[in-house]
Amino acid sequence: MAIHSARIQHSGWRDYFELTKPRVVLLMILTALIGMLLAVPGAVPLPVLLLGNLGIALCAGSAATVNHLVDRHIDIKMARTSNRPIARGRVEPRRALLFALLLGLLGQSILLFFVNALTAWLTLASLLGYAVIYTMFLKRATPQNIVIGGLAGAAPPLLGWTAVTGEIHGHALLLVLIIFAWTPPHFWALAVHRKEDYARADVPMLPVTHGVPYTNLHILLYTFILFAVSLLPFATAMLGWLYLLGAVVLGLGFFYWSIAMLRGRDPNAGMETFKYSIIYLMALFCIMLLDHYLIAV
């Protein structure tokens, strides 16, 4: 009844903007931008810098809109997502689908005609990986959904790198690996905090299927993996001592929160860990950039 009555509302540009998950896309573009800047010793050509990030952002917004569309029946059952535009009926599913197609086609066209074909195809693979493989299948199929589906969300620094160089480089894959290892503890921390929501929506997130203590243990184990992976750019001489210092300090902060979750004494530890994980990734990539221009030769 609530959904039906909400459909009398008129959708506005803010609703369509919300469909693109702008905060998530902003984080993705930050890592894509830094991937571009790390790919070359000097400045990135301005057309590639602007059009590359625009194309990637549009495709990411398209995938996010599909996620809203597919998950609308789940979203209405969860406190965190119950007011989303499609779930509440402010945007009709048909219009949301057209919007997603428009964003995706526009983004792909920009990348294909103004950047390079490799970046366009890799971006398309990332879009399909998130919007189709993860959202439509993995999310509802296995508690390892985040682990397997995290690869699509880890692609932006690689996309930024290939936009500038036109080739896949091992250093770019290291950036992907860092985000890939970061994704499970990041999302599982939120899932612990929102366990009842996921259970109500019948989404098999790890805290729902295996319990909170089991999930907290795996958050700590993945934090060890993330810490080790985050040292690889220094170990491979991609980056220097400034990055190493930043990675160690930020990693110790992640250990602090993952241990706090494992101890189970702070009821807000899940959300605090989730918030810290976002700060961690943003800070880590910004330190990469500082090291690249100030330290690394």
Side-chain angles (χ1 to χ4, degrees), residues 72-226:
R72 63 189 185 277
H73 302 300
I74 293 176
D75 287 344
I76 199 66
K77 299 176 183 178
M78 301 174 63
R80 183 174 65 92
T81 59
S82 62
N83 198 41
R84 284 179 170 175
I86 303 177
R88 279 294 173 187
R90 296 194 303 274
V91 176
E92 295 177 359
R94 179 178 59 86
R95 292 187 176 184
L97 180 59
L98 290 174
F99 181 61
L101 289 173
L102 176 63
L103 291 180
L105 288 172
L106 184 57
Q108 280 293 299
S109 298
I110 290 172
L111 294 174
L112 190 60
F113 293 110
F114 298 103
V115 182
N116 59 59
L118 177 61
T119 304
W121 297 126
L122 287 174
T123 303
L124 179 61
S126 177
L127 188 161
L128 294 175
Y130 178 76
V132 178
I133 297 175
Y134 168 72
T135 299
M136 293 185 179
F137 298 104
L138 287 176
K139 188 171 184 177
R140 295 160 176 78
T142 170
Q144 293 297 311
N145 45 23
I146 289 300
V147 178
I148 304 169
L151 186 59
L158 173 63
L159 304 179
W161 194 291
T162 61
V164 176
T165 66
E167 62 180 13
I168 297 174
H169 192 281
H171 287 166
L173 295 177
L174 284 183
L175 303 180
V176 172
L177 187 59
I178 289 172
I179 301 179
F180 182 67
W182 166 87
T183 301
H186 165 70
F187 274 104
W188 281 338
L190 177 64
V192 167
H193 186 75
R194 297 291 188 179
K195 176 190 172 185
E196 300 306 321
D197 270 357
Y198 284 111
R200 192 179 307 113
D202 198 27
V203 178
M205 296 297 288
L206 199 63
V208 176
T209 60
H210 289 71
V212 170
Y214 182 91
T215 305
N216 289 341
L217 174 61
H218 279 70
I219 288 173
L220 179 60
L221 294 175
Y222 267 91
T223 302
F224 276 105
I225 294 172
L226 174 61

Side-chain angles (χ1 to χ4, degrees), residues 11-22:
S11 58
W13 68 268
R14 290 182 180 84
D15 292 315
Y16 286 94
F17 184 62
E18 184 181 344
L19 290 179
T20 65
K21 297 188 178 181

